Amino acid sequence: MVNKVNTCVFISGNGSNLKSIIKSSREYNFPIKIGLIISNKTNARGIYYAKKYSIPYKIFSNLNQKDFERKSICEIKKRKIKFLCLAGFLSILSDSFIKTFGFNIINIHPSLLPKYKGLNTHKRAIENKEKFAGCTVHYVSTKLDSGKIILQKKVKIKKKDTAISLKKKILKKEHQLYPAAIRKIFS
Ligand code: GRF
């Protein structure tokens, strides 16, 4: 078994990207293993995957940002985590949290950054009559959705696309892009 980097994933929702990372991490040559999952929402459906694959998890919900980060850092240190992936994590991390790590944090965003930072990316891309949309895996910096880009994947926006159909189409690409970006980082 290769020496895999002990990784934590932060989630808030469905966890479909978490699932694709977990599945890849079970491949012999994949560079990371998931040693911890942290959710900031009690009812995050992604917790299902933590249970299914017997991965340690913590739910730190209904906390202010400071307390969430304090508890997370404590758990991350306890479990000797060396890398952090945000996957549908719907909260902004403080500058001090990002700096505390001294190791990389990455995120996936459903747009072709630097276009459409923030929320409602699919709707805004359609309203602006963009020909292409897509997704981006990037390093997390202290500015929202602005860290260095690792990998992007484009999809064509068709005339009949709605925000919902585009979201589905992009999500499928995200599931390929996130593991590919992790491979790229550690190659
Ligand atoms: C994805 O579209 C991701 O790009 C965005 O939030 C969504 C999360 O989906 N940040 P899931 O929880 O991984 O299914």
Side-chain angles (χ1 to χ4, degrees):
M1 179 96 113
V2 290
N3 212 359
K4 296 186 176 216
V5 179
N6 197 15
T7 299
C8 174
V9 183
F10 277 13
I11 60 164
S12 303
N14 285 335
S16 66
N17 279 291
L18 167 68
K19 181 186 171 194
S20 83
I21 300 170
I22 294 173
K23 286 198 151 184
S24 297
S25 74
R26 293 158 70 90
E27 290 167 22
Y28 180 81
N29 279 321
F30 199 70
I32 66 164
K33 62 179 177 205
I34 311 301
L36 176 65
I37 294 165
I38 294 181
S39 170
N40 65 345
K41 299 276 182 231
T42 315
N43 51 359
R45 297 214 342 238
I47 293 300
Y48 165 80
Y49 299 110
K51 293 179 182 162
K52 180 172 176 187
Y53 293 99
S54 306
I55 298 171
Y57 69 93
K58 289 279 172 192
I59 300 170
F60 297 137
S61 59
N62 302 316
L63 296 173
N64 60 38
Q65 186 189 36
K66 207 172 165 196
D67 288 344
F68 170 83
E69 292 184 353
R70 190 176 46 77
K71 284 183 175 253
S72 297
I73 286 173
C74 187
E75 200 60 32
I76 280 169
K77 285 193 173 151
K78 194 168 109 191
R79 297 197 177 265
K80 299 189 167 39
I81 297 295
K82 302 288 179 226
F83 188 62
L84 175 56
C85 298
L86 311 184
F89 179 64
L90 301 177
S91 179
I92 292 172
L93 295 169
S94 72
D95 293 6
S96 80
F97 181 90
I98 293 167
K99 285 173 190 159
T100 298
F101 272 101
F103 60 75
N104 289 321
I105 306 174
I106 64 171
N107 180 42
I108 189 154
H109 184 75
S111 80
L112 293 173
L113 290 173
K115 282 189 164 179
Y116 307 110
K117 296 172 182 174
L119 298 174
N120 301 317
T121 56
H122 313 92
K123 183 168 174 272
R124 286 189 284 145
I126 288 178
E127 280 171 2
N128 285 346
K129 303 201 183 322
E130 296 281 359
K131 288 198 166 58
F132 293 95
C135 44
T136 305
V137 176
H138 64 95
Y139 289 104
V140 173
S141 71
T142 51
K143 275 174 97 186
L144 180 70
D145 298 330
S146 299
K148 191 175 165 226
I149 291 171
I150 301 156
L151 269 188
Q152 289 188 308
K153 187 114 188 160
K154 249 187 192 179
V155 304
K156 202 165 166 32
I157 302 182
K158 294 195 175 146
K159 279 222 170 85
K160 60 171 197 219
D161 268 324
T162 60
I164 293 172
S165 68
L166 186 60
K167 185 177 174 180
K168 276 190 190 158
K169 221 159 41 173
I170 292 176
L171 197 57
K172 273 194 185 164
K173 300 289 179 195
E174 291 183 35
H175 300 155
Q176 301 163 0
L177 190 72
Y178 216 148
I182 293 169
R183 279 198 181 90
K184 184 178 172 191
I185 290 170
F186 294 101
S187 65

PDB file of all heavy atoms in Angstrom, residues 11-18 87-90 107-110 122 135 167 170-171 174-175, ligand 1:
ATOM      1  N   ILE A  11     -18.053  18.563   5.020  1.00  0.00           N
ATOM      2  CA  ILE A  11     -19.275  18.559   4.201  1.00  0.00           C
ATOM      3  C   ILE A  11     -20.405  19.309   4.927  1.00  0.00           C
ATOM      4  O   ILE A  11     -20.335  19.538   6.143  1.00  0.00           O
ATOM      5  CB  ILE A  11     -19.771  17.125   3.898  1.00  0.00           C
ATOM      6  CG1 ILE A  11     -20.083  16.359   5.213  1.00  0.00           C
ATOM      7  CG2 ILE A  11     -18.763  16.347   3.066  1.00  0.00           C
ATOM      8  CD1 ILE A  11     -20.923  15.110   4.999  1.00  0.00           C
ATOM      9  N   SER A  12     -21.462  19.622   4.143  1.00  0.00           N
ATOM     10  CA  SER A  12     -22.679  20.184   4.744  1.00  0.00           C
ATOM     11  C   SER A  12     -23.932  19.530   4.196  1.00  0.00           C
ATOM     12  O   SER A  12     -25.016  19.712   4.742  1.00  0.00           O
ATOM     13  CB  SER A  12     -22.797  21.691   4.439  1.00  0.00           C
ATOM     14  OG  SER A  12     -21.690  22.408   4.879  1.00  0.00           O
ATOM     15  N   GLY A  13     -23.795  18.802   3.067  1.00  0.00           N
ATOM     16  CA  GLY A  13     -25.016  18.352   2.389  1.00  0.00           C
ATOM     17  C   GLY A  13     -24.990  16.913   1.928  1.00  0.00           C
ATOM     18  O   GLY A  13     -24.640  16.013   2.686  1.00  0.00           O
ATOM     19  N   ASN A  14     -25.313  16.727   0.635  1.00  0.00           N
ATOM     20  CA  ASN A  14     -25.520  15.383   0.090  1.00  0.00           C
ATOM     21  C   ASN A  14     -24.280  14.498   0.099  1.00  0.00           C
ATOM     22  O   ASN A  14     -24.380  13.285   0.160  1.00  0.00           O
ATOM     23  CB  ASN A  14     -26.002  15.479  -1.361  1.00  0.00           C
ATOM     24  CG  ASN A  14     -27.450  15.904  -1.399  1.00  0.00           C
ATOM     25  OD1 ASN A  14     -28.194  15.682  -0.447  1.00  0.00           O
ATOM     26  ND2 ASN A  14     -27.842  16.526  -2.493  1.00  0.00           N
ATOM     27  N   GLY A  15     -23.137  15.110  -0.069  1.00  0.00           N
ATOM     28  CA  GLY A  15     -21.893  14.329   0.011  1.00  0.00           C
ATOM     29  C   GLY A  15     -21.594  13.494  -1.221  1.00  0.00           C
ATOM     30  O   GLY A  15     -20.857  12.511  -1.134  1.00  0.00           O
ATOM     31  N   SER A  16     -22.130  13.897  -2.385  1.00  0.00           N
ATOM     32  CA  SER A  16     -21.821  13.084  -3.572  1.00  0.00           C
ATOM     33  C   SER A  16     -20.345  13.228  -3.960  1.00  0.00           C
ATOM     34  O   SER A  16     -19.734  12.273  -4.447  1.00  0.00           O
ATOM     35  CB  SER A  16     -22.744  13.437  -4.745  1.00  0.00           C
ATOM     36  OG  SER A  16     -22.507  14.742  -5.190  1.00  0.00           O
ATOM     37  N   ASN A  17     -19.764  14.390  -3.745  1.00  0.00           N
ATOM     38  CA  ASN A  17     -18.314  14.530  -3.997  1.00  0.00           C
ATOM     39  C   ASN A  17     -17.520  13.739  -2.969  1.00  0.00           C
ATOM     40  O   ASN A  17     -16.513  13.120  -3.298  1.00  0.00           O
ATOM     41  CB  ASN A  17     -17.901  16.003  -3.980  1.00  0.00           C
ATOM     42  CG  ASN A  17     -18.193  16.680  -5.300  1.00  0.00           C
ATOM     43  OD1 ASN A  17     -17.549  16.392  -6.308  1.00  0.00           O
ATOM     44  ND2 ASN A  17     -19.182  17.567  -5.313  1.00  0.00           N
ATOM     45  N   LEU A  18     -17.982  13.752  -1.730  1.00  0.00           N
ATOM     46  CA  LEU A  18     -17.327  12.938  -0.691  1.00  0.00           C
ATOM     47  C   LEU A  18     -17.291  11.480  -1.139  1.00  0.00           C
ATOM     48  O   LEU A  18     -16.263  10.807  -1.063  1.00  0.00           O
ATOM     49  CB  LEU A  18     -18.098  13.073   0.633  1.00  0.00           C
ATOM     50  CG  LEU A  18     -17.735  12.068   1.709  1.00  0.00           C
ATOM     51  CD1 LEU A  18     -16.320  12.307   2.226  1.00  0.00           C
ATOM     52  CD2 LEU A  18     -18.734  12.128   2.881  1.00  0.00           C
ATOM     53  N   ALA A  87     -15.986  19.709   0.492  1.00  0.00           N
ATOM     54  CA  ALA A  87     -16.822  19.106  -0.549  1.00  0.00           C
ATOM     55  C   ALA A  87     -18.279  19.441  -0.245  1.00  0.00           C
ATOM     56  O   ALA A  87     -18.933  18.752   0.525  1.00  0.00           O
ATOM     57  CB  ALA A  87     -16.591  17.599  -0.600  1.00  0.00           C
ATOM     58  N   GLY A  88     -18.746  20.537  -0.837  1.00  0.00           N
ATOM     59  CA  GLY A  88     -20.100  20.978  -0.547  1.00  0.00           C
ATOM     60  C   GLY A  88     -20.210  21.479   0.883  1.00  0.00           C
ATOM     61  O   GLY A  88     -21.216  21.267   1.561  1.00  0.00           O
ATOM     62  N   PHE A  89     -19.156  22.133   1.333  1.00  0.00           N
ATOM     63  CA  PHE A  89     -19.130  22.672   2.696  1.00  0.00           C
ATOM     64  C   PHE A  89     -19.618  24.114   2.633  1.00  0.00           C
ATOM     65  O   PHE A  89     -18.958  24.980   2.048  1.00  0.00           O
ATOM     66  CB  PHE A  89     -17.713  22.596   3.256  1.00  0.00           C
ATOM     67  CG  PHE A  89     -17.588  23.158   4.655  1.00  0.00           C
ATOM     68  CD1 PHE A  89     -18.245  22.558   5.718  1.00  0.00           C
ATOM     69  CD2 PHE A  89     -16.824  24.290   4.892  1.00  0.00           C
ATOM     70  CE1 PHE A  89     -18.140  23.072   7.003  1.00  0.00           C
ATOM     71  CE2 PHE A  89     -16.705  24.811   6.175  1.00  0.00           C
ATOM     72  CZ  PHE A  89     -17.374  24.199   7.231  1.00  0.00           C
ATOM     73  N   LEU A  90     -20.813  24.346   3.206  1.00  0.00           N
ATOM     74  CA  LEU A  90     -21.477  25.634   3.007  1.00  0.00           C
ATOM     75  C   LEU A  90     -21.178  26.633   4.115  1.00  0.00           C
ATOM     76  O   LEU A  90     -22.090  27.129   4.789  1.00  0.00           O
ATOM     77  CB  LEU A  90     -23.003  25.421   2.890  1.00  0.00           C
ATOM     78  CG  LEU A  90     -23.436  24.508   1.748  1.00  0.00           C
ATOM     79  CD1 LEU A  90     -24.940  24.307   1.766  1.00  0.00           C
ATOM     80  CD2 LEU A  90     -22.986  25.090   0.406  1.00  0.00           C
ATOM     81  N   ASN A 107     -10.912  22.999  -2.424  1.00  0.00           N
ATOM     82  CA  ASN A 107     -12.363  23.095  -2.505  1.00  0.00           C
ATOM     83  C   ASN A 107     -12.798  22.828  -3.939  1.00  0.00           C
ATOM     84  O   ASN A 107     -12.035  23.016  -4.867  1.00  0.00           O
ATOM     85  CB  ASN A 107     -12.787  24.513  -2.093  1.00  0.00           C
ATOM     86  CG  ASN A 107     -14.293  24.710  -2.143  1.00  0.00           C
ATOM     87  OD1 ASN A 107     -15.062  23.826  -1.732  1.00  0.00           O
ATOM     88  ND2 ASN A 107     -14.742  25.854  -2.648  1.00  0.00           N
ATOM     89  N   ILE A 108     -14.062  22.395  -4.082  1.00  0.00           N
ATOM     90  CA  ILE A 108     -14.632  22.290  -5.432  1.00  0.00           C
ATOM     91  C   ILE A 108     -15.760  23.306  -5.557  1.00  0.00           C
ATOM     92  O   ILE A 108     -16.553  23.497  -4.624  1.00  0.00           O
ATOM     93  CB  ILE A 108     -15.109  20.858  -5.761  1.00  0.00           C
ATOM     94  CG1 ILE A 108     -15.485  20.770  -7.236  1.00  0.00           C
ATOM     95  CG2 ILE A 108     -16.248  20.392  -4.856  1.00  0.00           C
ATOM     96  CD1 ILE A 108     -15.380  19.379  -7.832  1.00  0.00           C
ATOM     97  N   HIS A 109     -15.786  23.964  -6.717  1.00  0.00           N
ATOM     98  CA  HIS A 109     -16.782  25.018  -6.929  1.00  0.00           C
ATOM     99  C   HIS A 109     -17.452  24.789  -8.291  1.00  0.00           C
ATOM    100  O   HIS A 109     -16.765  24.526  -9.281  1.00  0.00           O
ATOM    101  CB  HIS A 109     -16.083  26.386  -6.899  1.00  0.00           C
ATOM    102  CG  HIS A 109     -17.045  27.518  -7.004  1.00  0.00           C
ATOM    103  ND1 HIS A 109     -17.857  27.910  -5.960  1.00  0.00           N
ATOM    104  CD2 HIS A 109     -17.361  28.333  -8.045  1.00  0.00           C
ATOM    105  CE1 HIS A 109     -18.614  28.922  -6.349  1.00  0.00           C
ATOM    106  NE2 HIS A 109     -18.338  29.195  -7.603  1.00  0.00           N
ATOM    107  N   PRO A 110     -18.790  24.916  -8.345  1.00  0.00           N
ATOM    108  CA  PRO A 110     -19.474  24.589  -9.598  1.00  0.00           C
ATOM    109  C   PRO A 110     -19.511  25.738 -10.615  1.00  0.00           C
ATOM    110  O   PRO A 110     -20.587  26.166 -11.056  1.00  0.00           O
ATOM    111  CB  PRO A 110     -20.877  24.206  -9.131  1.00  0.00           C
ATOM    112  CG  PRO A 110     -21.093  25.019  -7.904  1.00  0.00           C
ATOM    113  CD  PRO A 110     -19.740  25.203  -7.262  1.00  0.00           C
ATOM    114  N   HIS A 122     -25.087  28.295 -11.365  1.00  0.00           N
ATOM    115  CA  HIS A 122     -25.702  27.742 -12.590  1.00  0.00           C
ATOM    116  C   HIS A 122     -26.713  28.732 -13.173  1.00  0.00           C
ATOM    117  O   HIS A 122     -26.732  28.989 -14.372  1.00  0.00           O
ATOM    118  CB  HIS A 122     -26.380  26.403 -12.282  1.00  0.00           C
ATOM    119  CG  HIS A 122     -25.528  25.474 -11.471  1.00  0.00           C
ATOM    120  ND1 HIS A 122     -25.579  25.426 -10.096  1.00  0.00           N
ATOM    121  CD2 HIS A 122     -24.585  24.580 -11.850  1.00  0.00           C
ATOM    122  CE1 HIS A 122     -24.703  24.535  -9.672  1.00  0.00           C
ATOM    123  NE2 HIS A 122     -24.082  24.013 -10.703  1.00  0.00           N
ATOM    124  N   CYS A 135     -16.772  23.268 -13.685  1.00  0.00           N
ATOM    125  CA  CYS A 135     -16.414  23.198 -12.267  1.00  0.00           C
ATOM    126  C   CYS A 135     -14.905  23.357 -12.116  1.00  0.00           C
ATOM    127  O   CYS A 135     -14.145  23.136 -13.063  1.00  0.00           O
ATOM    128  CB  CYS A 135     -16.901  21.886 -11.653  1.00  0.00           C
ATOM    129  SG  CYS A 135     -16.594  20.422 -12.669  1.00  0.00           S
ATOM    130  N   LYS A 167     -26.931  21.987 -13.252  1.00  0.00           N
ATOM    131  CA  LYS A 167     -26.335  21.567 -11.976  1.00  0.00           C
ATOM    132  C   LYS A 167     -26.034  20.063 -11.981  1.00  0.00           C
ATOM    133  O   LYS A 167     -24.955  19.625 -11.579  1.00  0.00           O
ATOM    134  CB  LYS A 167     -27.320  21.908 -10.838  1.00  0.00           C
ATOM    135  CG  LYS A 167     -26.786  21.647  -9.472  1.00  0.00           C
ATOM    136  CD  LYS A 167     -27.781  22.087  -8.428  1.00  0.00           C
ATOM    137  CE  LYS A 167     -27.258  21.679  -7.065  1.00  0.00           C
ATOM    138  NZ  LYS A 167     -28.143  22.061  -5.991  1.00  0.00           N
ATOM    139  N   ILE A 170     -23.115  19.285 -14.328  1.00  0.00           N
ATOM    140  CA  ILE A 170     -21.824  19.701 -13.762  1.00  0.00           C
ATOM    141  C   ILE A 170     -21.425  18.788 -12.604  1.00  0.00           C
ATOM    142  O   ILE A 170     -20.260  18.421 -12.463  1.00  0.00           O
ATOM    143  CB  ILE A 170     -21.861  21.181 -13.339  1.00  0.00           C
ATOM    144  CG1 ILE A 170     -21.958  22.065 -14.585  1.00  0.00           C
ATOM    145  CG2 ILE A 170     -20.631  21.553 -12.515  1.00  0.00           C
ATOM    146  CD1 ILE A 170     -22.105  23.536 -14.323  1.00  0.00           C
ATOM    147  N   LEU A 171     -22.410  18.408 -11.794  1.00  0.00           N
ATOM    148  CA  LEU A 171     -22.104  17.550 -10.636  1.00  0.00           C
ATOM    149  C   LEU A 171     -21.433  16.241 -11.083  1.00  0.00           C
ATOM    150  O   LEU A 171     -20.489  15.770 -10.444  1.00  0.00           O
ATOM    151  CB  LEU A 171     -23.381  17.285  -9.835  1.00  0.00           C
ATOM    152  CG  LEU A 171     -23.188  16.755  -8.415  1.00  0.00           C
ATOM    153  CD1 LEU A 171     -22.337  17.687  -7.564  1.00  0.00           C
ATOM    154  CD2 LEU A 171     -24.538  16.544  -7.735  1.00  0.00           C
ATOM    155  N   GLU A 174     -17.979  16.984 -11.657  1.00  0.00           N
ATOM    156  CA  GLU A 174     -17.279  17.218 -10.380  1.00  0.00           C
ATOM    157  C   GLU A 174     -16.748  15.910  -9.806  1.00  0.00           C
ATOM    158  O   GLU A 174     -15.645  15.857  -9.258  1.00  0.00           O
ATOM    159  CB  GLU A 174     -18.227  17.875  -9.365  1.00  0.00           C
ATOM    160  CG  GLU A 174     -18.616  19.299  -9.712  1.00  0.00           C
ATOM    161  CD  GLU A 174     -19.500  19.930  -8.645  1.00  0.00           C
ATOM    162  OE1 GLU A 174     -19.314  19.649  -7.445  1.00  0.00           O
ATOM    163  OE2 GLU A 174     -20.396  20.711  -9.008  1.00  0.00           O
ATOM    164  N   HIS A 175     -17.561  14.862  -9.954  1.00  0.00           N
ATOM    165  CA  HIS A 175     -17.181  13.565  -9.373  1.00  0.00           C
ATOM    166  C   HIS A 175     -15.929  12.987 -10.026  1.00  0.00           C
ATOM    167  O   HIS A 175     -15.234  12.178  -9.436  1.00  0.00           O
ATOM    168  CB  HIS A 175     -18.354  12.582  -9.474  1.00  0.00           C
ATOM    169  CG  HIS A 175     -19.569  13.059  -8.740  1.00  0.00           C
ATOM    170  ND1 HIS A 175     -20.840  12.668  -9.043  1.00  0.00           N
ATOM    171  CD2 HIS A 175     -19.688  13.944  -7.716  1.00  0.00           C
ATOM    172  CE1 HIS A 175     -21.700  13.271  -8.235  1.00  0.00           C
ATOM    173  NE2 HIS A 175     -21.021  14.052  -7.424  1.00  0.00           N
TER     174      HIS A 175
HETATM  175  C1  GRF B   1     -21.291  20.799  -5.449  1.00  0.00           C
HETATM  176  O1  GRF B   1     -21.905  21.324  -6.590  1.00  0.00           O
HETATM  177  C2  GRF B   1     -20.052  21.583  -5.099  1.00  0.00           C
HETATM  178  O2  GRF B   1     -19.371  22.083  -6.219  1.00  0.00           O
HETATM  179  C3  GRF B   1     -20.611  22.730  -4.307  1.00  0.00           C
HETATM  180  O3  GRF B   1     -21.656  22.168  -3.557  1.00  0.00           O
HETATM  181  C4  GRF B   1     -22.167  21.000  -4.219  1.00  0.00           C
HETATM  182  C5  GRF B   1     -22.042  19.882  -3.229  1.00  0.00           C
HETATM  183  O4  GRF B   1     -22.567  18.665  -3.659  1.00  0.00           O
HETATM  184  N1  GRF B   1     -19.569  23.361  -3.542  1.00  0.00           N
HETATM  185  P1  GRF B   1     -22.328  17.336  -2.839  1.00  0.00           P
HETATM  186  O5  GRF B   1     -22.676  17.624  -1.383  1.00  0.00           O
HETATM  187  O6  GRF B   1     -20.893  16.938  -2.985  1.00  0.00           O
HETATM  188  O7  GRF B   1     -23.265  16.341  -3.446  1.00  0.00           O
END
